[in-house]
């Protein structure tokens, strides 16, 4: 079996496609279950964030796996396969491992070095474990990705290469001013109480806003977030929770609004925002659009190889993509009365809000374009070295683990042979006392252990090297090991309740 990932992200697809392809929690669960039901896959995990959707699977056939995973992504995202395919990227085996480790370190993030992705990888692993779709390979892979990400942040200055998406968004709202000076004394409304909204509220509190109002569909979660904010030792922010029905009233008093909910529809319409500001949307002049060039999808070589194979799922792919031209509405001019930060995918805030006088809107799309020119820190090179080293170590460990059940089965067979011979000895020499019998048994076991020690240690070493997977097969053949015994050892190891815990 081999690791395969098929996905799309802000690097390969426009925000409009990512927005339409976003997966709700229940849809992710259904996707995982359907992936396991598909013939090529035995394990599956989904990493879905505001700017990426990736499906990981352990498959036995590359081309069939790519076709099946692509089809499943299209079916569950609601974006047609022909439309989705040009934006998909494919990674296989070591390249798939390299990709996830890079993602975990923040190298593939919209804002390089941000640490939010680690929590999202942890959630993806927990979902796979809860639904029993993550087996040995994906458990090991995602656990190692978390360790690699933590190592990158602790051993390098990758955090200096970029900030969290929230911090970066506030910098864009401040339009070049010091965010602390810009936000100081302002009133902020945070819509949502999930992980990203909580991060936004905490960041706003540290930035120096005077008051934070939290609105959430589940009032208890909003109350809990307010409690956490008020317990912070490094801030003196006033905080209170309100029902979602009070958002309209709160808009009339807010200076900053940050929204990140799981809603599939708009949370704030342009009309609602215009009403809060006391202006008429229809009278607002249409701002001229700005056309920018977004980066073309990378990693097309793997994708092109898939196309050349003639997979049905790739029928819409026509070779390497050219840079996309993305039209972004310009912001209204004049003093800013209400600053809006939309971190949701799909979006929470109506894109037409840019036409309202006095409104500045920053969303995922504008953040993607702004971060494209962000400077890269020298520490990025060090993180890339860490990723490469960890990929090699992970591959070696996986190859060594592949031979381990065979080694265990060999030693089990040897122990059975010793037990059988001792039983025969008891029948031929019934007068042996317990001390004599124990000494003979120990001697025979030592002989067997010494004979097996060198070949078993050596086969583990050889198996950890590239191309070493065949040594397990050779060992089974040479010692005529029962394949069912080896498989039983593998199943016992996989079902170990302590496996994969950290």
């Amino acid at each position: 079996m081999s690791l395969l990932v098929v996905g799309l992200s802000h690097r390969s697809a426009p925000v409009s496609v990512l927005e339409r392809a976003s997966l709700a929690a229940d849809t992710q669960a259904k996707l995982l279950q359907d992936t396991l039901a598909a013939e090529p896959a035995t394990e599956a995990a989904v990493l879905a964030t505001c700017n990426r959707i990736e499906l990981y699977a352990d498959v036995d056939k590359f081309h069939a796996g790519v076709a099946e995973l692509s089809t499943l992504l299209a079916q569950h995202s609601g974006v047609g396969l022909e439309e989705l395919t040009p934006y998909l990227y494919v990674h296989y085996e070591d390249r798939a491992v390299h990709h996830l480790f890079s993602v975990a370190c923040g190298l593939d993030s919209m804002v390089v070095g941000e640490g939010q992705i680690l929590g999202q990888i942890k959630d993806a692993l927990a979902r796979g474990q809860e639904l029993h779709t993550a087996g040995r390979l994906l458990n090991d892979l995602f656990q190692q990705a978390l360790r690699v990400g933590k190592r990158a942040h602790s051993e390098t200055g990758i955090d200096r290469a970029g900030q969290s998406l929230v911090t970066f968004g506030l910098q864009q709202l401040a339009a070049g001013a010091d965010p602390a000076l810009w936000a100081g004394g302002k009133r902020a409304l945070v819509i949502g109480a999930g992980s990203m909204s909580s991060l936004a509220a905490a960041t706003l509190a540290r930035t120096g806003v005077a008051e934070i109002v939290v609105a959430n569909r589940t009032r208890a979660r909003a109350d809990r977030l307010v409690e956490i904010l008020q317990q912070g030792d490094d801030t003196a922010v006033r905080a209170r929770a309100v029902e979602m029905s009070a958002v309209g009233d709160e808009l009339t008093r807010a200076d900053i609004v940050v929204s990140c909910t799981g809603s599939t529809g708009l949370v704030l319409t342009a009309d609602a925002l215009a009403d809060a500001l006391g202006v008429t949307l229809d009278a607002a002049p249409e701002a001229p659009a700005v056309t920018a060039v977004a980066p073309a999808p990378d990693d097309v070589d793997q994708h092109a190889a898939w196309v050349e194979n003639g997979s049905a799922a790739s029928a819409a792919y026509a070779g390497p993509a050219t840079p996309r031209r993305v039209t972004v509405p310009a912001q209204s001019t004049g003093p800013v009365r209400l600053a809006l930060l939309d971190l949701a995918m799909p979006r929470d805030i109506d894109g037409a809000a840019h036409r309202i006088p006095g409104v500045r809107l920053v969303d995922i799309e504008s953040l993607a374009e702004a971060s494209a020119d962000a400077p890269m820190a020298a520490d990025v090179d060090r993180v890339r070295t860490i990723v490469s080293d960890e990929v090699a170590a992970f591959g070696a460990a996986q190859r060594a683990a592949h031979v381990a059940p065979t080694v265990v089965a060999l030693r089990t067979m040897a122990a059975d042979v010793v037990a059988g011979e001792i039983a025969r000895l008891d029948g031929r020499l019934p007068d042996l006392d317990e001390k004599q019998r124990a000494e003979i048994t120990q001697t025979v076991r030592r002989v067997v252990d010494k004979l097996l020690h060198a070949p078993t240690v050596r086969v583990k070493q050889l198996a950890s090297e590239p191309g070493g997977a065949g040594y397990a097969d050779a060992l089974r053949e040479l010692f005529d090991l029962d394949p069912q015994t080896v498989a039983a050892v593998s199943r016992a190891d996989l079902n170990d309740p302590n496996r994969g815990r950290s």
Side-chain angles (χ1 to χ4, degrees), residues 21 27 33 36 64 84 99 141 147 214 233 246 372 380 415 430 434 498:
T27 305
Q33 293 163 351
L36 280 197
L84 188 65
H99 174 73
L141 175 70
R147 288 190 285 268
V214 180
D233 296 331
V380 169
E434 286 300 318
N498 296 315

Side-chain angles (χ1 to χ4, degrees), residues 162-188:
Q163 306 80 25
S164 74
L165 201 59
V166 173
T167 304
F168 191 60
L170 292 177
Q171 288 180 343
Q172 298 305 304
L173 284 179
D178 183 339
L181 295 176
W182 171 79
K186 285 183 167 63
R187 292 190 179 98

Side-chain angles (χ1 to χ4, degrees), residues 6-8 13 17 20-21 31 55 63-90 303 306-307 310-318:
V6 177
L8 66 160
V17 174
R20 292 168 53 210
L31 172 59
L55 179 56
H63 295 293
V66 171
E68 189 65 41
L69 266 57
S70 301
T71 300
L72 287 168
L73 277 175
Q75 289 175 348
H76 290 81
S77 69
V79 179
L81 182 59
E82 291 188 356
E83 181 181 359
L84 188 65
T85 299
Y87 303 113
L88 294 177
Y89 47 76
V90 176
H303 204 159
W306 162 36
V307 174
S311 169
S314 64
Y317 186 78

Side-chain angles (χ1 to χ4, degrees), residues 472-490:
D473 297 331
L475 203 62
R476 287 193 294 270
E477 186 69 24
L478 287 170
F479 286 91
D480 195 23
L481 298 176
D482 182 1
Q484 295 301 322
T485 303
V486 177
V489 174
S490 298

